[in-house]
Each structure stands twice: as C-alpha cells, then as structure tokens.
Amino acid sequence: MRITAPLFIAALTATSGLAEVKTAAIFGSGMVLQQKSQTPVWGWASPGEEIQVVASWLPAPLSTTADPNGRWMVKLKTPAAVELKSPGTLEVRGANTLRFDNIAIGEVWLCSGQSNMEWTVGISMNAKEEVAAANHPSIRYFTVANEVAIAPREDCRGEFGGWRVMSPATAADCTAVGYYFARELQKQMGVPVGIIASDWGGTPVESWASNEVLARTGEYKEYRDLLASLDPDPAKRQAALDGLGEKWWKSVDENPKSPGKDWTSGSFDDSAWQTMNMPGAWQGDLAQFDGFVYFRTVIDVPADAASGAAVLELPPIDDRDDAWINGVHVGSLHAPNAWNNPRKYQVPAGTLKPGKNVISLRIRDDRGNGGAVGDASAMNLRIGGKAIPLAGQWKYKVGPSVAESPYPPLADGINAWTPSSLYNAMIHPLRNYTIAGALWYQGESNRGRGAQYLKVFPAMIEGWRSDWKLGEFPFYLVQLAPFNYGNDPGLTSEIREVQHLTTTMVPHTAMVCTMDIGNPADIHPLNKQEVGRRLALNALNKHYGKDGIICSGPTYKSMKVDGDAIVVEFDLHGGKEITVKGDALLHFQIAGADKVFHRATATIQGNTVRVSRDGLKAPVAVRYGWEGACETNVFGADNLPMEPFRTDDWAMPVNGWPAPKE
C-alpha cells in the first residue's frame, strides 16, 4: 500500500494531536551532503506549520511553511568540502526539533543494480583484511532497505536505520563496489564521499524504471496497465493478478523454442526428443539450466479401466509444472516455493482411452537445479485401487530459458521483478537528494532480452536524470564479467554489446570492462576492489577533469582487410601500446562471407592487431571476447583490458550465435 503524506500525517495526529516534524529517511547524523550545491532538505509536518532549518555553516536559518499536504522543503547552500573545517550540524525546528550531527560535505554517489552491486565488503575478496583496514571516517554510506511498491512512494527506509561512518565495525555491510569506488575517490580528491546503495539481487532493469519511462519505450504495457488499475480491495486485486497469470502460462508455448501448441497430443512426433530417466534431478548441461523442459511418455491403460476417473501422482517438482493426458490439461502447480510438494492431479472421466495414452509434463525450473525429484513409487497413474507406474524413460525437449521466456506473471503478487516496483519504492524517494552521479552494475537478469534492454536501459538513465533535475549527471556502468551460464548461444555477448551501445547513445555515460577479473564458475566474482577502482578512474577523468588519469583500455576503432588477414585499429585512450598477458592473444574470431566464425591467430603490430586463420581466404569480420565465459588477456595502459568488440553488424540468429569453430 502506498503511504501518502496526508495519511502519514493523519496517523501521527491521531496519536499526538499534532504532527511531529519529520524529515525523509535519507537525512540523519553522519550523512554526506553534496558540496557546492543547492541541496534540498524536505519532510512532513502539520499543514501550515512553520519550519526552520538551521545549518551550522549558514549565517541564518531558512524558513518555510508546510503545504496543505504537510510537505515542506528548503534548499541549503553547501560550501566546498574544504571550507567545512569541522563536522557540520543541522537542526529542523517546528513543533519539535530534530538535530543531526557529524555531517560531512563532499561527493555523493548513488549505487544501484542487482547482486554484484549488492555484494558486500564482508563477502568479497580479502574480506577479513579489508574490513579490519576500513578506518575511513570521511566515507559514509546509506543502504536503502529492499522494498517494493505499486506506485511511487515519497519516502524509503534505511536498512541500518540511517547513515553509517566507514569503520571496521560497519564496513562488512557496505556495497563492496561502492566502498572501493569511494575509497579511490577519497584518496585522489581528499574530500568526504557518501554512497547511497539502492540495489536488489537478481532484479531486471525494468524494475528500476518508472511507469512513465516504460510507457515511452512501449514495453510491458500489459503490466503497466494492470498496476495502474489495481483495486485497493485485496480480493479484487488478487483476481486481476490470477487472470494475468493464467494468460501468461497459456502463452509459454508460443515461444519459438517450445515444441509447439500440439505437443501434448497423441499424434505429435517426438522421435527427435532425447530421453531421461524419471523421476530424477536434471543432470549434465541441464543441471545449470533455468527455464522450461518438456516431457512425454506413453502408457497402456486396460480397456476396463479407461472409462473412469483417475489420479495422476507425481513426486515433488522443482519448481513449477503443468500436466496433460491425451492433450487434456489435468493439473498444475504454479505457486512459488512449492518445489518440495508432491502433486496429485484429478483426471476427469473420459480423458483416458483403452490402449496407448500420452502423459505430458511442462516443468519450469526457476533457479538452481530442477527436475521431478522423489521416489519412483510416488510417480503413478492411479485408477481405482490400482497404480500404473510412470517411472522410467521419458522423452524430453529443452525449451526456452528463463531469460528467453515471456515476462513472468504477477500472480505471485507484486515483487522485485514487477516493472517499476523498485523504482517506486527505492529510487523515487531519493530523487531530491543531491548527488554527483550514479554507478550501475546490472544486466544478468535481462540476458535473452537484448533488444528490449536497449530500449529500456537508456530510457531508465534519462528518466533518473529527469527526476533529479541535475542535468546530465554522470552515469557509469559495469559490463558483465565472464561467467559460464551453461548453453549460452550469445545471450551474454548481446547484453554486453547493449551495455556498450548505451554509452554511445546516452551522453556522459561510460562503461567499465571486467573481462579479465570475472570468474567463469561464479556469477559473483570476488574482486570488487578493481571494479570500484575502475569506476573511480572514470569519475576522476570524465567528471572531475583529472586528465592524467587513464580510465579505459583499448577500444575498437576501425578495420581493413589485408590479403588473408584483417588488421584492426584501436583507440588507446592515453596509452602508448597494446600488451598481452601470456604467450598469445586469446579469444579472437574471424569469419568469411559465410558468416561462420573460427578461432583465429592474432598478433600485435603497434597499435593494431592482425587477425588471420590458416586456410581462411577473403575474411570479412573479426570478433573479440565474444563468448560468455571467456577471460580476455589483451590490455592497454594502467592494466586496463581491451573491451569486447565485433566488426560485423550481423543480427543474432534465432537459435543464437554458435561457438566459433576450432
């Protein structure tokens, strides 16, 4: 439920007779205010109440009056950080007085995204040593509590109650990327740095964009319309959500990677499908697969049993499922957290027929390993007092992954994956707090939806800038690091390319390449120190004008065909040469007019790289770092890696880019 200012004030008035003066949760002792700015301070009080705000660095109080909704705001002029000789204080005076101490003036940055931004110092690389050494009283952080909302909120909640001063007692809970960014910034600039962490693991970009921004992209219309129309009555609201969920599940088989709408029928040809022993946890490549897998088996039903009702008994299914017999839908369990529940689906009379009958299952694994996991004795078609065993070899086909599926339903309620839900609860309440810029580490949860990401991500950035009304403040993002997602047909490379393209479309943005500091076996690489440092290099060079700082490795500039090779030229961004770690340049690919890529041989020639392949004549295109889990080894100045690139503009095939030929 959205808490509006009038309701907020009414609740206070009902208990005290007079609303206490309140400020937004972002204000508190130990906070950092942006230097050299007109920074708003705001809150709520009784309508018409006179408010005074007294800052220790200002010669006189600022006065205002709460509006009819009880909201008030003043704008404080903040000095340069070096002009504040001692910690500042701030008082808000009305019916009561609030006092905030130990205020610093410096640089304030917003840190947002999913789990790699949420990842804390206490679980990152060298955590014990880093926490013990985190004695930095000029670095402070505020963590926004994880909450969702169906409409924009006016206030948020601090995860730890308010601002924290960086010390060995507090460092473990701080965003690691944000802390290491702040540490480098503070070291280079000598001013306090404030970090506002607003992040949530596993979340997609659309959760962080406003309804208005998503409307401009044309995406998620069905969900935007639903959220706008949700009734405050819980029963009516749930009925609307249930209807949407039903529609979504029916749409799944329209995906090109599904078997087709008739896959549950007896006439469907499943001869090309693979076989798997059921029940059992998924093995091999499927152990890393999150998404839909389709199953079929054929059983014999005696003629004297076919006319009656039956019960389809299944062991626990991880995570959600639908079941059909002879094309008739007999049951489903779509609820979350039901992975440990056995299934019993009633089969209506007339569904079975004498002789051959087809049983079909569609299983969706949300995360982790999936499958029908349980004892074989729990998998039967029970007719009267007799059971026909169903355990054994089933045919199966892998369908769309979670990333390749339609957007999931809201039948489970409003959650962190609902479009705009995190913007409403965790970004909108911050929009008046003056910041220097924003850092972003997200994209894993949008793999498989690259074209959509290219619409929504740039629009989200521009939407945030519009909200803050601070102009085109700097926005620096982290490119996805190497990770083995399993059978990845180019989805990771597609998102990385979209991240790069965003920096060419939206001014005052930059991207940090992490192709050399990932962990193909862990989606959460522990080296957050270097991620934060590289973000700080961009801020120091591009925003703070420190020209002597190099912030990027080599980036693709141009190519030309030279006989049976392609020579690629790069922008070196202040560096003087290209270097390689190891004996050879890795992860270069080359293709001819047939668009088939092969692993290539590459050599450095000055500020160019010559790429070729024995036996390949008339090459036309080169790619570098174009595999999801590849760890690249080509660098420029300041040990900064070369960004992945491709010289072609070929569209990704429906089934994805195949791995390069050896």
Side-chain angles (χ1 to χ4, degrees):
M1 174 179 171
R2 181 184 178 188
I3 304 297
T4 63
L7 288 176
F8 174 69
I9 293 165
L12 288 171
T13 305
T15 58
S16 65
L18 181 66
E20 291 186 347
V21 173
K22 296 287 186 180
T23 63
I26 190 68
F27 297 101
S29 293
M31 65 183 164
V32 182
L33 297 177
Q34 179 63 35
Q35 67 172 330
K36 297 184 286 187
S37 68
Q38 294 284 339
T39 187
V41 177
W42 71 95
W44 300 270
S46 295
E49 184 174 352
E50 292 186 6
I51 307 296
Q52 280 194 336
V53 178
V54 182
S56 61
W57 59 89
L58 293 180
L62 299 175
S63 298
T64 190
T65 302
D67 69 16
N69 290 321
R71 184 179 174 91
W72 59 265
M73 177 185 287
V74 299
K75 291 189 176 181
L76 292 179
K77 182 178 181 180
T78 56
V82 295
E83 296 176 14
L84 191 69
K85 302 303 182 183
S86 60
T89 62
L90 189 71
E91 287 191 359
V92 178
R93 300 171 181 172
N96 56 293
T97 297
L98 304 174
R99 180 182 172 90
F100 304 131
D101 298 309
N102 192 23
I103 296 171
I105 305 291
E107 294 297 308
V108 182
W109 286 77
L110 173 66
C111 300
S112 190
Q114 57 183 111
S115 56
N116 271 307
M117 183 61 83
E118 193 176 35
W119 210 251
T120 62
V121 175
I123 53 176
S124 61
M125 187 173 69
N126 301 328
K128 184 177 179 180
E129 295 80 3
E130 292 285 10
V131 169
N135 186 20
H136 298 287
S138 291
I139 298 175
R140 290 95 180 277
Y141 71 93
F142 180 94
T143 302
V144 179
N146 285 359
E147 293 182 338
V148 300
I150 64 173
R153 287 183 178 173
E154 292 302 311
D155 205 3
C156 62
R157 184 171 58 86
E159 179 69 23
F160 306 108
W163 285 82
R164 283 181 153 190
V165 177
M166 191 63 63
S167 73
T170 62
D173 296 321
C174 183
T175 161
V177 168
Y179 168 57
Y180 296 125
F181 167 85
R183 186 173 70 180
E184 184 69 18
L185 212 62
Q186 204 277 328
K187 172 185 173 183
Q188 296 286 344
M189 298 184 65
V191 301
V193 180
I195 292 297
I196 302 172
S198 185
D199 43 42
W200 192 321
T203 54
V205 69
E206 57 269 20
S207 296
W208 298 98
S210 71
N211 193 347
E212 292 76 16
V213 164
L214 294 179
R216 289 198 293 271
T217 70
E219 299 293 328
Y220 311 104
K221 183 178 186 304
E222 194 169 31
Y223 300 93
R224 291 187 285 103
D225 291 348
L226 177 73
L227 290 172
S229 65
L230 283 179
D231 196 287
D233 178 79
K236 293 180 180 179
R237 183 167 65 245
Q238 192 58 48
L241 294 172
D242 289 342
L244 188 67
E246 176 91 12
K247 183 178 180 180
W248 183 85
W249 281 99
K250 288 180 178 179
S251 75
V252 167
D253 293 337
E254 297 173 3
N255 190 293
K257 289 196 173 182
S258 75
K261 289 187 176 181
D262 64 340
W263 72 277
T264 63
S265 70
S267 60
F268 181 80
D269 181 8
D270 61 12
S271 59
W273 288 25
Q274 297 174 275
T275 57
M276 178 191 303
N277 195 55
M278 292 270 278
W282 295 346
Q283 304 293 323
D285 289 342
L286 273 185
Q288 300 295 323
F289 178 76
D290 295 330
F292 290 95
V293 181
Y294 297 79
F295 294 87
R296 285 167 53 94
T297 192
V298 177
I299 61 169
D300 281 310
V301 175
D304 60 353
S307 60
V311 177
L312 178 61
E313 299 176 339
L314 301 172
I317 291 177
D318 191 353
D319 289 284
R320 315 182 196 215
D321 67 286
D322 284 271
W324 292 262
I325 296 181
N326 297 327
V328 177
H329 190 256
V330 296
S332 64
L333 188 50
H334 296 160
N337 303 315
W339 57 272
N340 203 31
N341 295 4
R343 274 60 162 166
K344 288 190 176 183
Y345 297 141
Q346 301 298 317
V347 181
T351 303
L352 299 173
K353 60 183 181 180
K356 303 294 183 183
N357 289 257
V358 176
I359 300 177
S360 308
L361 299 178
R362 181 178 64 193
I363 297 176
R364 173 184 158 108
D365 178 46
D366 294 335
R367 61 186 63 86
N369 200 359
V373 184
D375 193 82
S377 63
M379 198 169 195
N380 307 287
L381 180 66
R382 191 169 295 279
I383 307 173
K386 296 183 179 180
I388 300 176
L390 302 180
Q393 292 291 305
W394 285 56
K395 293 288 191 74
Y396 81 93
K397 175 181 172 58
V398 178
S401 69
V402 166
E404 297 165 321
S405 305
Y407 196 81
L410 302 180
D412 303 339
I414 307 302
N415 56 44
W417 291 262
T418 303
S420 299
S421 63
L422 301 186
Y423 168 85
N424 292 337
M426 299 176 65
I427 296 296
H428 187 266
L430 305 172
R431 69 195 186 284
N432 289 315
Y433 198 87
T434 304
I435 60 174
L439 311 177
W440 178 259
Y441 197 159
Q442 190 277 337
E444 297 92 337
S445 292
N446 287 91
R447 289 175 62 255
R449 294 186 281 137
Q452 189 181 58
Y453 198 76
L454 189 56
K455 290 183 182 179
V456 176
F457 184 36
M460 185 208 79
I461 298 171
E462 292 171 345
W464 285 15
R465 287 173 171 172
S466 176
D467 285 341
W468 259 268
K469 297 179 174 61
L470 296 172
E472 295 176 335
F473 61 71
F475 188 103
Y476 303 137
L477 62 120
V478 182
Q479 193 176 42
L480 296 192
F483 176 66
N484 182 10
Y485 289 92
N487 182 24
D488 183 351
L491 305 182
T492 308
S493 297
E494 182 184 43
I495 287 293
R496 287 186 186 130
E497 183 175 46
V498 169
Q499 291 175 317
H500 164 75
L501 289 173
T502 297
T503 66
T504 68
M505 297 165 57
V506 184
H508 305 295
T509 58
M511 184 183 72
V512 163
C513 177
T514 59
M515 295 300 292
D516 61 319
I517 53 173
N519 182 348
D522 190 343
I523 199 171
H524 303 119
L526 298 184
N527 187 358
K528 297 295 191 282
Q529 288 89 333
E530 185 62 10
V531 179
R533 187 185 80 91
R534 291 177 186 180
L535 285 165
L537 294 178
N538 276 278
L540 291 164
N541 176 285
K542 297 179 181 297
H543 182 59
Y544 296 111
K546 295 188 177 293
D547 294 334
I549 290 180
I550 296 172
C551 60
S552 172
T555 55
Y556 170 71
K557 181 178 181 180
S558 63
M559 62 150 279
K560 65 178 180 180
V561 177
D562 183 15
D564 293 337
I566 290 178
V567 177
V568 185
E569 186 178 3
F570 301 90
D571 287 318
L572 299 186
H573 303 291
K576 295 181 179 179
E577 61 181 358
I578 297 171
T579 60
V580 60
K581 291 184 179 180
D583 297 329
L585 283 70
L586 304 176
H587 305 298
F588 279 87
Q589 305 173 22
I590 193 167
D594 60 0
K595 300 184 180 181
V596 176
F597 280 90
H598 304 261
R599 297 200 184 278
T601 299
T603 56
I604 296 172
Q605 298 178 345
N607 68 338
T608 68
V609 172
R610 186 178 181 86
V611 187
S612 63
R613 162 85 179 193
D614 287 345
L616 179 65
K617 306 296 182 181
V620 299
V622 166
R623 291 178 179 176
Y624 169 70
W626 214 252
E627 296 166 81
C630 67
E631 298 176 277
T632 60
N633 69 336
V634 184
F635 295 82
D638 201 18
N639 200 34
L640 295 173
M642 180 186 291
E643 290 183 11
F645 68 88
R646 60 171 175 154
T647 66
D648 65 276
D649 60 357
W650 302 332
M652 186 166 70
V654 172
N655 295 322
W657 288 308
K661 291 190 175 182
E662 299 295 336

